[in-house]
Amino acid sequence: MAGYQYDDVAGDQKFRVEGSGGIEDAGTTYHDVDVFGHEEGHQIVYKTMSWQFVAVLMIAEIVSNGMLSLPQSLAVVGIVPGLILIIFLGVFATYTSYLLVQFKLRHPEVHSMGDAGFILAGPVGREVLAFGTVVFAICATGGQLLAGQIALSALSNDKLCAMLYAGIFAIPTLLFSFPRTLDQLSWLSIPSVISILVAGIVGMIGAGLHPAPDRTLSVVRSSSFQEAFFSITNPVFAYAGHFLFFILISEMRHPQEAMKAAYILQGFATTFYAVFAVVMYVYLGPGVASPAFSSLDPVWAKAAYGIAIPNFLIAGSIYAHTAAKLLFTRIFRKSRHLYSHTVTGWTTWGLLVLLMNASSFVLAIAVPIFTYLIGITASLFASWYTYGIAGAFWLHDKYHDGQGVRTWRKQWPKAGLAIATFVAGGFICVSGTYVTIKAIVDAYGSGSIGQPFSC
């Protein structure tokens, strides 16, 4: 299968077809090949975002309530292993981001992981990776609804049923999901990023002013495999936003600048994660809860949760929006309903957005093991999207655009790293699924699992 060698000539995005017979100038522009095509005269224009706004969207999506579980990971494995893991995974995620961006630039027709799966493994690959993207996005939206539920419960001293708080939070999440383009959501992501940053700072200040009494800290802590790996999944999946990268890059004005956004994302996330996790663990000790704000003094917990609410809202909206966008683009690809204000287009879009949000809400309140379900879907899919599959992308392109296995041998250090990346994704997938299922069994055995639709 031919790929595309990306060129940026005088600001014009051009490609050269590259195959086993060498490189031939095709005179092909990015807009001739990508999913949205030439947008002149279109009523709805998608490719409008700058790399700065994409960076903001990425941060709003990834640096959300996932960071609130990191202090508990340090409590399980100790400060040094936990901190090393957070930094290592940040570097690893930067490397896999680079591989994903390069793959997207060489295959402009890729709009989602489903399209990438078709290139790797045909129709089966497309359906499996598209299904995983939608399922994980729905679960991630539900996770944000639960975060909003916890925040509202903390602010009101649990005056209402928790299910009602989730319902209240689901309404603005649904409304913010409706814009047809990510550019409209990117503006909302600015206060979202500010809110999670300020909430984290407020949380650290509150922990410092009201530390846990008689706390003991561990530089390194010995734990069982299940306990350790289950806690390690927190930092692993705190970086689990790569499954939306193709969709985000597809709506960029200049996709060749996507790595700038990825560098900003990973630099911010890794630094913030490390500082937040260490500070919260040092002051709150081994009893720190997940989410960590729940271990703060009540006044500071309310302040932190209240400030973080915009981030929970927008992050949930981004997940629901992109899940709907994947299906909408799949249905109307190369159709006027994709880029025109038609009744069919808007009706379908509205129904898809409603379906994604409704599914996440029902799962969040009706499935007693929903938090574990998020862990299972993250293990099955996000482990590949964020880590493993990036190696497969590199191996695929080098094999088909070069001289097959000979190209791998010539570039054996990169090939070895790509293979190791793929193996790492498989290890995270299998181990994460195992320890999560084991945790579900243990939770049922202890009677800690509640009932559906309960407060």
Side-chain angles (χ1 to χ4, degrees):
M1 181 181 294
Y4 295 92
Q5 176 67 41
Y6 194 92
D7 278 333
D8 187 14
V9 182
D12 195 13
Q13 301 158 8
K14 293 184 180 295
F15 293 89
R16 294 174 290 166
V17 174
E18 186 175 327
S20 58
I23 297 175
E24 178 184 355
D25 187 0
T28 303
T29 67
Y30 185 92
H31 304 293
D32 292 330
V33 186
D34 85 313
V35 61
F36 297 118
H38 294 275
E39 296 190 304
E40 294 84 358
H42 287 187
Q43 294 177 331
I44 301 173
V45 179
Y46 292 92
K47 295 180 289 187
T48 58
M49 288 195 297
S50 66
W51 69 265
Q52 291 93 339
F53 275 114
V54 172
V56 171
L57 265 172
M58 288 178 171
I59 293 172
E61 169 220 342
I62 294 177
V63 185
S64 188
N65 64 330
M67 76 171 192
L68 299 179
S69 62
L70 297 179
Q72 191 180 71
S73 296
L74 268 61
V76 174
V77 300
I79 293 179
V80 173
L83 190 57
I84 291 174
L85 185 64
I86 290 172
I87 296 173
F88 169 76
L89 289 173
V91 174
F92 193 12
T94 304
Y95 166 69
T96 56
S97 297
Y98 174 78
L99 295 184
L100 263 63
V101 169
Q102 294 305 307
F103 186 80
K104 167 62 178 173
L105 294 180
R106 296 177 66 78
H107 302 276
E109 72 276 16
V110 169
H111 175 255
S112 68
M113 280 290 177
D115 295 332
F118 181 77
I119 292 174
L120 289 182
V124 174
R126 175 176 58 194
E127 301 307 329
V128 169
L129 293 190
F131 174 78
T133 300
V134 173
V135 169
F136 185 62
I138 289 173
C139 289
T141 304
Q144 298 298 332
L145 295 182
L146 290 184
Q149 170 190 299
I150 294 171
L152 293 178
S153 295
L155 290 170
S156 65
N157 296 320
D158 299 315
K159 289 183 179 179
L160 296 177
C161 172
M163 185 174 64
L164 294 178
Y165 288 123
I168 292 171
F169 205 79
I171 295 173
T173 301
L174 169 65
L175 295 177
F176 288 141
S177 305
F178 268 112
R180 282 277 287 271
T181 65
L182 283 167
D183 177 62
Q184 295 168 295
L185 269 175
S186 66
W187 290 96
L188 295 173
S189 296
I190 295 175
S192 171
V193 171
I194 294 173
S195 76
I196 197 63
L197 175 61
V198 174
I201 293 172
V202 168
M204 289 187 284
I205 293 173
L209 292 177
H210 300 276
D214 302 324
R215 64 191 184 280
T216 57
L217 306 179
S218 299
V219 176
V220 179
R221 190 172 181 272
S222 174
S223 305
S224 66
F225 173 79
Q226 180 187 346
E227 184 183 21
F229 198 89
F230 191 71
S231 70
I232 286 172
T233 57
N234 293 329
V236 166
F237 300 129
Y239 293 98
H242 290 47
F243 74 112
L244 299 183
F245 275 16
F246 291 149
I247 295 176
L248 296 176
I249 297 172
S250 294
E251 297 193 30
M252 288 186 67
R253 202 163 44 238
H254 302 295
Q256 73 272 23
E257 296 182 329
M259 259 326 284
K260 295 179 182 178
Y263 285 136
I264 295 296
L265 162 68
Q266 304 301 352
F268 178 88
T270 304
T271 303
F272 192 47
Y273 285 166
V275 172
F276 181 82
V278 170
V279 171
M280 295 297 278
Y281 171 61
V282 166
Y283 285 108
L284 299 178
V288 61
S290 176
F293 288 163
S294 294
S295 292
L296 295 172
D297 175 82
V299 173
W300 287 92
K302 290 180 179 180
Y305 274 129
I307 295 170
I309 282 177
N311 178 262
F312 300 156
L313 278 174
I314 301 306
S317 299
I318 293 172
Y319 289 129
H321 173 99
T322 48
K325 180 69 67 64
L326 183 154
L327 295 174
F328 184 79
T329 305
R330 175 84 175 268
I331 294 169
F332 292 121
R333 195 160 187 154
K334 297 183 179 179
S335 164
R336 66 187 182 92
H337 301 297
L338 184 65
Y339 54 80
S340 298
H341 293 297
T342 65
V343 174
T344 300
W346 274 107
T347 300
T348 305
W349 173 252
L351 290 174
L352 287 174
V353 170
L354 183 62
L355 176 63
M356 297 302 108
N357 281 275
S359 299
S360 63
F361 173 70
V362 171
L363 285 173
I365 65 171
V367 179
I369 59 169
F370 180 68
T371 54
Y372 295 102
L373 182 62
I374 295 175
I376 291 176
T377 56
S379 298
L380 290 175
F381 299 113
S383 58
W384 292 109
Y385 298 152
T386 304
Y387 302 106
I389 205 170
F393 291 155
W394 187 94
L395 293 169
H396 171 276
D397 278 355
K398 292 301 177 182
Y399 183 89
H400 288 282
D401 296 342
Q403 297 176 313
V405 177
R406 292 180 61 185
T407 302
W408 294 355
R409 290 172 179 169
K410 289 179 181 178
Q411 301 184 36
W412 62 266
K414 292 182 179 179
L417 187 56
I419 292 171
T421 297
F422 188 80
V423 172
F427 174 74
I428 295 169
C429 174
V430 174
S431 300
T433 303
Y434 168 75
V435 299
T436 306
I437 292 176
K438 184 67 166 57
I440 294 174
V441 173
D442 293 343
Y444 270 111
S446 65
S448 60
I449 300 297
Q451 297 296 319
F453 302 103
S454 63
C455 292

